[in-house]
Amino acid sequence: MRDPNIGEILIQADELQARIADLGVEISRDYEGREILIVCVLKGAVLFVADLMRQLTVPCEVDFMAVSSYGSATRSSGVVRILKDLDGSIEGKNVLIVEDIIDSGLTLQYLMRNLRSRGPASIEVCSLLTKPSRREVEVPIRYTGFELPDRYAVGYGLDLAQRYRNLPYVAALTDAAIAAAS
Ligand code: 5GP
């Protein structure tokens, strides 16, 4: 029986994999002759980055960063704290930030400012999901998987109170689950 908090499936597992394969081709073509340093933003982007990396044909390394945004369970405030920094330097490297979802854009805005100050050769963003209707600040997203409506999503890395990251698809929460979490 499906968890009662999980509502409509927004993106099926096979749709995710097909789009990620396309993104892999596009990114590999754009970075031909260069090396990529992937900056994976924990924890939500873990499943995405693991699948995306397997589709890249250019050399790449991966490093991890964890940030927390103060706010309620379903809204970010834009005040960001680094919980785990990168292990290595990004100076002179071609950085590709891999994100799970861009909502207000506040977290990414902070992250880009922070990483730019470290002197990378280039910096681009690849986000599996985006909710354009919720944007509060403009952020340049070079590669996007899917646009979502204004619904709180879980699954394929995305959580509600640390649960549901292991679902192979992206689903909306039921209204009751959102009300209980806010
Ligand atoms: P932003 O700063 O763009 O508003 O929010 C970015 C972060 O908020 C994402 O990396 C993610 O952790 C969280 N977030 C935003 N929207 C959703 C959503 O629909 N579901 C989940 N699980 N997290 C979200």
Side-chain angles (χ1 to χ4, degrees):
M1 198 183 81
R2 183 121 60 95
D3 187 304
N5 288 334
I6 303 296
E8 182 195 348
I9 295 185
L10 301 174
I11 312 169
Q12 296 285 359
D14 58 346
E15 296 177 76
L16 286 168
Q17 295 307 324
R19 180 71 189 119
I20 293 167
D22 288 347
L23 284 172
V25 170
E26 197 182 332
I27 295 169
S28 299
R29 197 179 49 218
D30 291 353
Y31 283 86
E32 181 88 58
R34 291 188 292 165
E35 243 176 80
I36 306 177
L37 171 62
I38 293 175
V39 170
C40 170
V41 185
L42 295 171
K43 301 172 185 168
V46 162
L47 274 69
F48 177 41
V49 87
D51 285 336
L52 181 66
M53 283 180 74
R54 278 177 275 198
Q55 301 293 337
L56 296 180
T57 54
V58 287
C60 62
E61 14 170 359
V62 64
D63 204 344
F64 297 90
M65 200 160 172
V67 294
S68 105
S69 152
Y70 292 100
S72 69
T74 56
R75 273 192 84 91
S76 92
S77 66
V79 182
V80 178
R81 190 161 53 111
I82 295 180
L83 302 177
K84 184 221 169 293
D85 208 340
L86 299 172
D87 288 340
S89 164
I90 61 168
E91 198 176 342
K93 300 202 171 168
N94 295 301
V95 171
L96 181 64
I97 300 176
V98 175
E99 268 277 18
D100 52 357
I101 185 163
I102 312 296
D103 189 45
S104 68
L106 292 165
T107 307
L108 182 62
Q109 184 184 55
Y110 168 84
L111 208 58
M112 289 197 78
R113 278 197 192 135
N114 182 293
L115 294 181
R116 267 204 199 102
S117 72
R118 306 185 194 190
S122 66
I123 183 158
E124 300 288 355
V125 178
C126 174
S127 183
L128 178 67
L129 306 168
T130 178
K131 289 193 225 169
S133 65
R134 302 252 311 167
R135 206 72 89 241
E136 289 173 32
V137 289
E138 264 320 302
V139 277
I141 311 174
R142 176 79 180 263
Y143 307 100
T144 305
F146 298 88
E147 288 193 359
L148 284 186
D150 184 6
R151 313 268 300 269
Y152 193 81
V154 293
Y156 196 68
L158 297 166
D159 74 310
L160 175 72
Q162 301 303 327
R163 285 188 59 196
Y164 307 122
R165 294 192 197 276
N166 58 317
L167 297 176
Y169 47 79
V170 173
L173 286 178
T174 57
D175 292 341
I178 293 169
S182 312

